[in-house]
């Protein structure tokens, strides 16, 4: 079993991201593997969990302690060596501290939670497309879309817990388990 903790975006962001996913699929025939979960910005990559109820209790407490977060998406991009297309997320001190905090708290509570991309080099992003073609095809997509003006801001008002029933994260073995509002009020909106 595995879990992921992420900031969940609203329907406006969902609509932008899914429109892009359909567009690149129609051009490159890559499928919709990257669209199986709602648009989100991960705070903690998938990690092994001992028990879903124990992780759920942690996420319940975590959501109450985080205020809504303003996010900026400046451009389309992706890594040079992988089959991933994403919206870049501008890193802010708040976003970096949330990733560091969640990674540390999860490691303190549960054994063996380090994921390959966690840590100070983690690159914040919102996945548009994943898999279905080689990294070189994805590089062509990125080059084609790099000049497109997609810059926008959005406010993450919810935390999401994704649950994976197997360690391979195979299609059909995962779901959006729980969505929780962030904080108690919007007075503490964070955007820096």
């Amino acid at each position: 079993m595995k879990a992921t903790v992420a900031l969940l975006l609203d329907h406006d962001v969902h609509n932008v991201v899914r429109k892009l996913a359909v567009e690149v699929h129609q051009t490159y025939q890559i499928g919709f593997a990257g669209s199986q979960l709602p648009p989100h910005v991960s705070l903690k990559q998938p990690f092994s969990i001992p028990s879903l109820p124990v992780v759920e209790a942690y996420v319940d407490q975590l959501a109450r302690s985080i205020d809504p977060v303003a996010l900026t998406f400046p451009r389309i991009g992706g890594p040079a060596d992988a089959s991933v297309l994403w919206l870049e997320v501008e890193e802010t001190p708040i976003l970096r501290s949330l990733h560091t905090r969640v990674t540390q708290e999860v490691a303190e509570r549960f054994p063996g939670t380090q994921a390959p991309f966690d840590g100070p080099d983690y690159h914040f992003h919102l996945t548009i497309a994943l898999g279905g073609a080689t990294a070189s095809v994805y590089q062509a997509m990125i080059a084609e879309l790099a000049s497109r003006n997609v810059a926008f801001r959005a406010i993450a008002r919810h935390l999401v817990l994704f649950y994976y029933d197997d360690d391979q994260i195979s299609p059909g073995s995962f779901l959006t388990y729980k969505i929780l509002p962030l904080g108690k009020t919007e007075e503490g909106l964070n955007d820096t």
Side-chain angles (χ1 to χ4, degrees):
M1 295 186 296
K2 290 185 183 252
T4 295
V5 178
L7 297 170
L8 187 64
L9 284 301
D10 69 12
H11 65 278
D12 291 326
V13 175
H14 175 96
N15 294 343
V16 168
V17 173
R18 292 303 182 250
K19 186 173 186 174
L20 285 166
V22 168
E23 178 184 336
V24 295
H25 168 69
Q26 288 175 338
T27 302
Y28 293 94
Q29 298 301 304
I30 58 170
F32 298 111
S35 299
Q36 301 307 297
L37 294 173
H40 63 278
V41 175
S42 295
L43 294 177
K44 174 72 180 90
Q45 292 294 298
F47 60 97
S48 294
I49 60 172
S51 156
L52 184 55
V54 172
V55 173
E56 181 180 3
Y58 164 69
V59 172
D60 288 348
Q61 170 271 323
L62 178 66
R64 288 189 300 271
S65 74
I66 300 172
D67 288 318
V69 180
L71 300 171
T72 301
F73 302 89
R75 72 190 69 75
I76 295 173
D81 58 348
S83 298
V84 181
L85 181 70
W86 61 39
L87 285 175
E88 300 272 344
V89 177
E90 187 176 287
E91 183 172 324
T92 64
I94 292 293
L95 197 53
R96 176 57 59 190
S97 69
L98 283 172
H99 171 72
T100 301
R101 174 187 167 192
V102 172
T103 300
Q104 289 174 344
E105 289 177 357
V106 165
E108 290 167 3
R109 287 166 171 78
F110 315 111
T113 59
Q114 183 62 32
F117 301 106
D118 286 338
D121 295 329
Y122 180 69
H123 187 93
F124 296 100
H125 64 279
L126 190 158
T127 300
I128 298 167
L130 174 69
T134 64
S136 61
V137 170
Y138 271 81
Q139 288 309 301
M141 274 187 249
I142 292 166
E144 179 185 326
L145 298 169
S147 63
R148 184 175 296 185
N149 181 10
V150 296
F152 64 94
R153 282 176 54 104
I155 298 173
R157 299 181 193 282
H158 294 87
L159 194 69
V160 62
L161 174 60
F162 298 128
Y163 170 72
Y164 309 88
D165 199 50
D166 69 27
D167 289 344
Q168 286 71 45
I169 309 179
S170 26
S173 71
F174 55 87
L175 54 76
T176 301
Y177 182 74
K178 193 167 195 177
I179 298 171
L180 297 162
L182 290 175
K184 295 179 182 172
T185 69
E186 292 194 17
E187 293 173 17
L189 181 63
N190 291 305
D191 65 354
T192 58

